[in-house]
Amino acid sequence: MRDVLRRMRRANRPHLHTLSAQQARVAYEAGAGVLEIAKQALPRVEDIRIAARDGTALPARLYAPSTCAPLPVLLYLHGGGFTIGSVATHDVLCRQLAHLAGCAVVSLDYRLAPEHQFPTAINDAWDALQWLAAHGDTLGLDTQRMAVGGDSAGGTLAAACAILARDAGLSLQLQLLIYPGTCAHQDTDSHFRYAHALVLEREGILWFFDQYVRNDADREDWRFAPLLAPDVEGVAPAFLCLAELDPLVDEGVQYADMLRMAGVPVDLEIYKGVTHEFIKMGRAIPEARQAHADMAAALRAALGTSPTV
């Protein structure tokens, strides 16, 4: 991890928060695969469209480790502060999860800020989850065995979707939360302890959220800050994957505690010595490959699948 940070400093690329949103997207996509593991070949990779509530056809990509149907499915929501990231930037990770977990993965290109501010991203994510529950069987998916997951901002969306699913009576077997943002004001100790020089910096977090939220009231909405949810009893079991050296680690632990206090089964892993974004550094960081295996094991246990041979 120290070597990765050293190389990042030597590269001396501009911080994302000093760029426009469009420039930041291009820069993030250009670097997204540099430290990734090799791309896993799968028998089925298919670009699809999912209808949002306003009629927009949202792009998504379906990954399947087998052509045998029906397969249980994970709806995956990429990270990027609601402003950057895409199906393309998380392609390698989604392929690996499908391969190791033996389930289908549907990765969603929800709409990004600042063009589409809160609550567009969570509306898109929730619409996609409902669409999969209603229409997934037409794609060879087992809609009785579903999970939702995501990293960073995508973890926030996944946590909110799990609450919405509980309220709507939509059964989920697992919520896979990878260093999710859960608090309203980024004021935990870890936000200050790890504010600089560890991949995700405080200035960047504030810049991302300034793109996404319209006003202070949005920050107090539990769909932005799941720690503010009035009740999480009865939501899907959770697997939380956190990085030790991450501004978001404290709020991840707090959310795990909140779920446990409500009687929700929770597995929590804090990977030592690594930073935010580490799960996309599998070529350089052994902990990333361990996290892939751990997340896949949690999915297999929840969805009743076997790893792809």
Side-chain angles (χ1 to χ4, degrees), residues 100-102 145 173-174 237 239 267 293-307:
L100 293 177
R145 292 185 292 163
Q173 273 60 60
L174 186 72
F239 181 91
D267 284 327
D294 294 342
M295 292 186 287
L299 285 164
R300 292 197 304 270
L303 298 174
T305 58
S306 301

Side-chain angles (χ1 to χ4, degrees), residues 62-100:
L62 168 63
Y63 303 88
S66 166
T67 55
C68 298
L71 285 171
V73 59
L74 164 70
L75 174 65
Y76 193 85
L77 305 162
H78 67 78
F82 308 104
T83 306
I84 62 175
S86 65
V87 166
T89 61
H90 286 64
D91 179 77
V92 171
L93 176 62
C94 288
R95 287 172 179 268
Q96 188 70 354
L97 288 176
H99 172 68
L100 293 177

Side-chain angles (χ1 to χ4, degrees), residues 52 58 108-111 119-129:
L58 301 172
L108 179 70
D109 258 333
Y110 56 88
R111 287 172 284 184
T120 302
I122 180 55
N123 287 345
D124 285 354
W126 174 231
D127 291 350
L129 190 60

Side-chain angles (χ1 to χ4, degrees), residues 42-46 62-67 71 98-99 103-105 141 308:
L42 294 171
R44 185 184 178 195
V45 178
E46 180 182 343
L62 168 63
Y63 303 88
S66 166
T67 55
L71 285 171
H99 172 68
C103 69
V105 176
L141 305 177
T308 308

